[in-house]
Every structure is written in structure tokens, then in C-alpha cells.
């Protein structure tokens, strides 16, 4: 019996040598279940390194939804390229937790914060309801500690 549940997660695999570093297309199946909810606000990406990025949506002429504003900085910062896989976990509204894997099929060693990052502004997260919030571990341990900490909290 097929499930009528809305998808809550999606992934993007970079399978082309020419990576689109200007935008990221959101899968149609995910959009069908969440379009009204996610278009109300900018995209908020919380990466596994606990950095928060505020990005912007763009709808193409054929109705496809793209993350565009701020995507080039995000992709460059994490050196997203051929063989990478990005796992997006929908946390409610337009907020996603992102885990990035490289061509070795393992989670990347996250780089230090960029000097200029489109960060989440104070006050924006106030629009998130209590049910949409999650606990974000702000432990700033060593790189080895970050690699070893459990990813099952999401």
C-alpha cells in the first residue's frame, strides 16, 4: 500500500563534472508536499558543523524551485563538487539540516567559518514555532571531536 506521507528529507548527488555553483534545484516531489510552507521565508540551512546559512529561493519559468541567493557562497565554502552528496532534513517551514558527504561516501571535515557568511539574523528564528525547533549542539570541540560525535541527534 503506497504511503501518502509528505517526504521530509531529500538528497542531492553531484554527478556531473560541471557543478551548478549558482543554484540548487529542489526535487519536485518534495515541493508538492511543502510548497506553501517553504516559500513563506528565506531558506535556512543548519549544517552539521552548526553553522547557519540564510539563502533565497527562485522559481524558474517552468515552475521549478531553486535555492539561488547565497548558494554560490555556500557551495564554495564547503567545496561542493563532483561526487558530493548533500542530505537535507526538513525541520519545518523553510528550515533544513544539511549533512555533506564527499566522494569517499563519508561526511566531510567541515572547514572553519567563512569571513563573510550569509548568517541567520537575530530575530528570524522567532518565526519558528516551538514544534519546529530542535536542539542544536553548540559544542565547539576539536575537529577530531566533531568527527566522532554522533550524527543521530537529527
Amino acid at each position: 500500500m503506497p504511503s501518502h506521507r509528505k517526504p521530509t528529507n531529500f538528497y542531492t548527488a553531484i554527478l556531473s563534472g560541471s557543478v551548478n555553483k549558482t543554484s540548487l534545484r529542489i526535487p519536485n516531489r518534495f515541493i508538492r508536499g511543502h510548497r506553501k510552507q517553504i516559500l513563506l521565508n528565506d531558506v535556512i540551512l543548519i549544517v552539521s558543523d552548526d553553522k547557519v546559512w540564510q539563502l533565497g529561493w527562485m522559481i524558474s519559468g517552468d515552475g521549478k524551485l531553486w535555492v539561488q541567493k547565497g548558494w554560490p557562497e555556500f557551495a564554495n565554502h564547503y567545496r561542493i563538487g563532483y561526487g558530493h552528496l548533500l542530505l537535507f532534513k526538513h525541520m519545518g517551514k523553510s528550515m533544513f539540516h544539511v549533512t555533506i558527504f564527499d566522494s569517499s561516501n563519508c561526511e566531510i571535515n567541515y572547514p572553519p567559518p567563512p569571513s563573510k557568511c550569509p548568517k541567520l539574523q537575530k530575530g528570524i528564528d522567532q518565526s519558528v514555532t516551538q514544534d519546529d525547533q530542535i536542539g542544536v549542539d553548540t559544542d565547539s570541540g576539536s575537529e577530531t571531536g566533531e568527527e566522532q560525535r554522533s550524527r543521530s541527534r537529527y
Side-chain angles (χ1 to χ4, degrees), residues 5 28 60 80 83 85 98 123 141 144:
R5 183 177 72 87
N28 290 336
S60 61
I80 296 171
L85 183 134
V98 181
T144 304

Side-chain angles (χ1 to χ4, degrees), residues 91 93 125-135:
M91 297 167 49
K93 299 191 180 184
D125 61 341
Q126 293 173 357
S127 67
V128 178
T129 66
Q130 186 74 13
D131 293 337
D132 293 334
Q133 294 179 1
I134 64 160

Side-chain angles (χ1 to χ4, degrees), residues 29-52:
R29 183 168 171 237
F30 182 84
I31 295 168
R32 280 193 294 271
H34 301 281
R35 186 178 200 100
K36 289 181 184 177
Q37 181 185 17
I38 63 176
L39 288 176
L40 295 175
N41 300 298
D42 284 344
V43 184
I44 305 298
L45 301 181
I46 301 172
V47 184
S48 287
D49 60 359
D50 296 329
K51 291 179 190 67
V52 179

Side-chain angles (χ1 to χ4, degrees), residues 82-99:
Y82 179 78
H84 280 85
L85 183 134
L86 286 73
L87 175 63
F88 291 82
K89 294 182 180 184
H90 188 226
M91 297 167 49
K93 299 191 180 184
S94 58
M95 189 176 298
F96 298 87
H97 179 268
V98 181
T99 306

Side-chain angles (χ1 to χ4, degrees), residues 5-109:
R5 183 177 72 87
K6 294 177 188 177
T8 55
N9 303 321
F10 66 90
Y11 71 88
T12 297
I14 310 300
L15 301 175
S16 167
S18 58
V19 177
N20 186 350
K21 292 212 176 197
T22 61
S23 57
L24 173 75
R25 188 168 160 268
I26 306 300
N28 290 336
R29 183 168 171 237
F30 182 84
I31 295 168
R32 280 193 294 271
H34 301 281
R35 186 178 200 100
K36 289 181 184 177
Q37 181 185 17
I38 63 176
L39 288 176
L40 295 175
N41 300 298
D42 284 344
V43 184
I44 305 298
L45 301 181
I46 301 172
V47 184
S48 287
D49 60 359
D50 296 329
K51 291 179 190 67
V52 179
W53 295 72
Q54 182 177 351
L55 309 175
W57 298 112
M58 190 270 302
I59 301 173
S60 61
D62 58 0
K64 292 183 172 124
L65 185 61
W66 300 79
V67 175
Q68 189 173 43
K69 180 184 170 199
W71 178 256
E73 294 82 6
F74 181 89
N76 286 331
H77 177 71
Y78 292 105
R79 295 181 182 96
I80 296 171
Y82 179 78
H84 280 85
L85 183 134
L86 286 73
L87 175 63
F88 291 82
K89 294 182 180 184
H90 188 226
M91 297 167 49
K93 299 191 180 184
S94 58
M95 189 176 298
F96 298 87
H97 179 268
V98 181
T99 306
I100 305 169
F101 300 88
D102 63 20
S103 59
S104 72
N105 299 321
C106 295
E107 192 167 2
I108 67 168
N109 289 323

